[in-house]
Amino acid sequence: QVQLVESGGGLVQPGGSLRLSCAASRSIFRFYPMGWYRQAPGKQRELVADITISSVTNYADSVKGRFTISRDNAKNMVYLQMNSLKSEDTAVYYCNTARTGPIWDWGQGTQVTVSS
């Protein structure tokens, strides 16, 4: 089984930036398309960005132009650069596999709160 660890969240003012990181207990990311998901209070978890093995990216309309997903297969890391943050981006952010859906147990996530 793979354990996922997300980090980098925090409290930021509207318009601010954060960079999230995702690590795994095994060196396995390079074999899978990966994604960042988020879950806001009272809402279902949603996929906001994904990246293929060859680093082709795709974004939800709500974050397009503001978020950038990237990966470093050598370091077994996936990142989410979030700029121009809005209050509606407030959520717990998770990483997992994508394109064919999440296949690993969810990590603890990292809380992102956008508030003045």
Side-chain angles (χ1 to χ4, degrees), residues 84-97:
S84 302
L85 283 162
K86 305 175 181 180
S87 58
E88 51 262 45
D89 296 318
T90 295
V92 180
Y93 284 72
Y94 304 86
C95 66
N96 212 311
T97 55

Side-chain angles (χ1 to χ4, degrees), residues 1-111:
Q1 186 54 270
V2 177
Q3 292 181 320
L4 299 167
V5 179
E6 300 90 353
S7 62
L11 173 63
V12 63
Q13 292 186 342
S17 298
L18 285 173
R19 188 192 193 210
L20 307 183
S21 299
C22 174
S25 57
R26 293 166 53 196
S27 183
I28 199 170
F29 281 173
R30 65 187 183 276
F31 299 118
Y32 294 91
M34 294 296 298
W36 281 96
Y37 301 75
R38 68 185 180 188
Q39 187 167 21
K43 295 187 177 181
Q44 289 193 338
R45 190 157 13 209
E46 61 172 347
L47 177 67
V48 297
D50 64 70
I51 185 167
T52 67
I53 295 171
S54 56
S55 295
V56 174
T57 58
N58 187 55
Y59 300 92
D61 287 343
S62 58
V63 306
K64 199 171 294 183
R66 301 187 298 120
F67 290 10
T68 302
I69 188 172
S70 61
R71 65 192 301 156
D72 186 332
N73 290 336
K75 294 183 178 179
N76 201 44
M77 297 290 292
V78 178
Y79 305 100
L80 186 68
Q81 177 67 43
M82 305 187 297
N83 299 327
S84 302
L85 283 162
K86 305 175 181 180
S87 58
E88 51 262 45
D89 296 318
T90 295
V92 180
Y93 284 72
Y94 304 86
C95 66
N96 212 311
T97 55
R99 296 295 169 108
T100 56
I103 63 172
W104 298 321
D105 289 344
W106 295 101
Q108 83 288 351
T110 186
Q111 175 71 50

